[in-house]
């Protein structure tokens, strides 16, 4: 569910063997704490996971913005090139001049 994708999942268990922890992590838990647990530790782990999720999201958004910026530059260059070709078609006496100016 997209609305819950960023919600940290912490497994709180009395089982402390490696196999149980690995099974919990493979099932989708982000972290685990064994019982008895400290409420402050739990809150700090949730806070850290939330911070990491936020950082990951910002990193993805930055990559997307960089990609879109590159696409915009390409579109801008293609537009200028198209205008210069249109000018060349319009005026045969200066044909090629606008291409040279564009470069």
């Amino acid at each position: 569910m997209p609305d819950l994708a960023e919600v940290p999942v912490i497994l709180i268990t009395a089982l402390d063997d490696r196999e149980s922890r690995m099974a919990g992590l493979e099932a989708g838990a982000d972290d685990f704490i064994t019982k008895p647990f400290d409420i402050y530790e739990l809150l700090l782990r949730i806070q850290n996971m939330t911070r990491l999720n936020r950082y990951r999201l910002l990193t993805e958004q930055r990559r997307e913005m960089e990609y879109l910026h590159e696409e915009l530059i390409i579109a801008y260059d293609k537009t200028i090139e198209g205008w210069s070709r249109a000018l060349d078609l319009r005026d045969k006496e200066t044909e090629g001049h606008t291409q040279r100016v564009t470069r």
Side-chain angles (χ1 to χ4, degrees), residues 3-96:
D3 292 343
L4 301 176
E6 301 297 322
V7 174
V9 176
I10 299 179
L11 181 62
I12 300 174
T13 179
L15 302 173
D16 63 351
D17 61 290
R18 183 180 187 277
E19 290 177 15
S20 297
R21 290 192 311 263
M22 292 297 116
L25 292 172
E26 286 176 359
D30 296 309
D31 201 355
F32 65 91
I33 296 178
T34 56
K35 291 179 184 179
F37 68 93
D38 180 357
I39 188 68
Y40 296 110
E41 179 184 2
L42 176 62
L43 292 173
L44 285 174
R45 286 183 187 228
I46 291 171
Q47 183 181 39
N48 288 340
M49 279 188 259
T50 304
R51 187 179 306 124
L52 288 173
N53 285 342
R54 190 170 46 246
Y55 176 75
R56 182 190 47 75
L57 182 62
L58 288 172
T59 302
E60 289 173 3
Q61 288 174 341
R62 179 183 176 104
R63 268 185 253 146
E64 178 69 16
M65 291 297 289
E66 288 171 352
Y67 172 77
L68 292 173
H69 181 255
E70 289 298 319
E71 291 292 312
L72 182 62
I73 289 172
I74 291 169
Y76 176 78
D77 289 344
K78 295 286 184 189
T79 300
I80 297 296
E81 186 177 319
W83 285 347
S84 68
R85 288 182 196 275
L87 284 172
D88 282 346
L89 291 173
R90 185 171 171 218
D91 188 2
K92 292 292 182 186
E93 293 176 10
T94 60
E95 186 174 359

